[in-house]
Amino acid sequence: QQPYLHIHCMFRRVLLGGIGASATAAAALSYKQSLAEEKMSLKMGIFAPPGGGKGTVCKKLVRDYGFVQVSTGDLLRDAVKNKTPLGMKAKEYMNKGELVPADLIHEIVGSHLKSPEVMQKGFILDGVCRSKANSEFIVDEGLTPDLCLILDVTEACVQERLGGRVIDPVTKDSYHLKFVPPPPEIADRCIRRKDDYPEAITKRFNLYQKGLKEVLSVFPPATVKKIPGEGAPKDVYLHVQKKVDETLAHKKMESLFEGGADPKKMMSALNALSWVLTRGSSK
């Protein structure tokens, strides 16, 4: 209790009085160093409607934090390609034109998530939890996310993002009629995917919204955080970073009391929280 009260008082001083730029830089450096030393990992799920931008966010998180992005589709394709025992079982169903059973998919996902590399680095569940059964499997396997991040995007925004998307059938490159238009010499041959028309977009958006509440109902409410998903990508990512940093700092505070209070761990936790506070104030 006493070490915690001491840290709490220090942070009241930081919040009320602020800290200088040099202290901010020192806290940031110490925080990053302490994460590297302790190999602090995070179990995370990310949720957004089609066109919601979670793919872009995941790439940045992998780049900046070293997390492993976990997608059911990618894992299934890799298992089949590498001819793993589970992959070969899945291929039998795929060759028959049948859906791969949920139990088999869960087995493929679970074995990957529990691998030493993924457990050490932390992971992002990207499209893994599409039903309540998927979420229950994750919890039953002891892999409950520390953070479930929802990118809040309206249907109007999704319609604008996906409705203007076209693909060059020759190069397979994607363009957007408003944001990234195709070069004039190939514009006439570009096509739109069937599921990028307004009616299809509305259907996909409604299916996502309908299932989201049920998917998240399995996880602890305190882990579910919603952030603005519209606007400039860099601004959206700043919101994402803040939630990730806050969660990492909370985990570090929890580790402080495992096995008794250690002075080095206390200072590490203090630096972590200071970094989160100063990042938040700078935004």
Side-chain angles (χ1 to χ4, degrees):
Q1 293 288 339
Q2 291 303 318
Y4 176 79
L5 290 174
H6 176 62
I7 290 175
H8 177 71
C9 291
M10 290 184 71
F11 270 90
R12 283 183 59 84
R13 290 172 58 190
V14 171
L15 284 169
L16 294 174
I19 62 176
S22 61
T24 300
L29 178 61
S30 180
Y31 174 50
K32 290 181 178 181
Q33 289 175 340
S34 65
L35 284 182
E37 291 172 1
E38 296 186 27
K39 295 183 174 60
M40 183 66 71
S41 64
L42 190 71
K43 299 188 293 293
M44 176 180 174
I46 188 165
F47 304 86
K54 65 185 176 69
T56 300
V57 168
C58 284
K59 288 180 181 178
K60 292 180 178 180
L61 288 172
V62 170
R63 177 195 68 195
D64 295 339
Y65 294 87
F67 302 147
V68 177
Q69 182 179 354
V70 180
S71 164
T72 301
D74 290 342
L75 289 181
L76 186 57
R77 283 187 289 271
D78 288 344
V80 173
K81 180 181 178 181
N82 297 326
K83 298 182 179 180
T84 66
L86 293 176
M88 296 308 293
K89 287 183 181 179
K91 190 176 181 180
E92 293 178 8
Y93 291 95
M94 296 166 70
N95 288 341
K96 297 176 185 176
E98 300 175 1
L99 293 175
V100 179
D103 290 346
L104 182 52
I105 291 178
H106 287 167
E107 200 171 351
I108 292 173
V109 172
S111 62
H112 182 70
L113 290 176
K114 290 185 176 182
S115 67
E117 179 186 3
V118 175
M119 291 301 291
Q120 180 181 352
K121 291 183 176 181
F123 57 76
I124 311 167
L125 300 176
D126 175 16
V128 171
C129 297
R130 296 181 180 271
S131 68
K132 186 176 182 180
N134 294 154
S135 298
E136 289 173 338
F137 165 75
I138 292 296
V139 172
D140 291 343
E141 291 295 303
L143 299 167
T144 303
D146 304 302
L147 174 65
C148 295
L149 200 59
I150 305 170
L151 304 184
D152 191 22
V153 182
T154 63
E155 183 185 349
C157 180
V158 172
Q159 287 283 2
E160 182 180 39
R161 290 178 181 179
L162 297 184
R165 186 169 62 181
V166 293
I167 299 174
D168 179 359
V170 177
T171 64
K172 308 302 181 184
D173 292 332
S174 295
Y175 300 94
H176 194 282
L177 296 178
K178 179 179 179 180
F179 304 122
V180 188
E185 61 270 20
I186 69 166
D188 290 341
R189 75 183 186 211
C190 287
I191 58 175
R192 183 183 296 184
R193 299 191 326 179
K194 290 182 179 180
D195 54 0
D196 283 344
Y197 284 91
E199 298 82 3
I201 294 173
T202 295
K203 183 178 180 180
R204 294 164 66 195
F205 184 85
N206 290 339
L207 284 173
Y208 162 78
Q209 291 289 359
K210 183 179 179 180
L212 183 61
K213 185 175 181 180
E214 188 175 68
V215 165
L216 294 175
S217 66
V218 180
F219 303 130
T223 67
V224 180
K225 307 293 182 182
K226 182 184 291 188
I227 65 167
E230 300 181 19
K234 65 177 182 179
D235 295 332
V236 173
Y237 188 57
L238 284 176
H239 289 294
V240 172
Q241 282 186 299
K242 184 176 180 181
K243 293 302 180 185
V244 170
D245 289 342
E246 286 175 353
T247 307
L248 285 170
H250 180 73
K251 287 192 68 176
K252 189 173 284 293
M253 283 296 295
E254 287 182 335
S255 71
L256 169 66
F257 299 103
E258 292 179 1
D262 180 280
K264 186 176 179 180
K265 282 189 174 183
M266 287 173 59
M267 187 54 64
S268 177
L270 182 62
N271 286 327
L273 289 174
S274 178
W275 171 231
V276 170
L277 289 172
T278 53
R279 280 174 64 91
S281 64
S282 67
K283 297 168 190 175

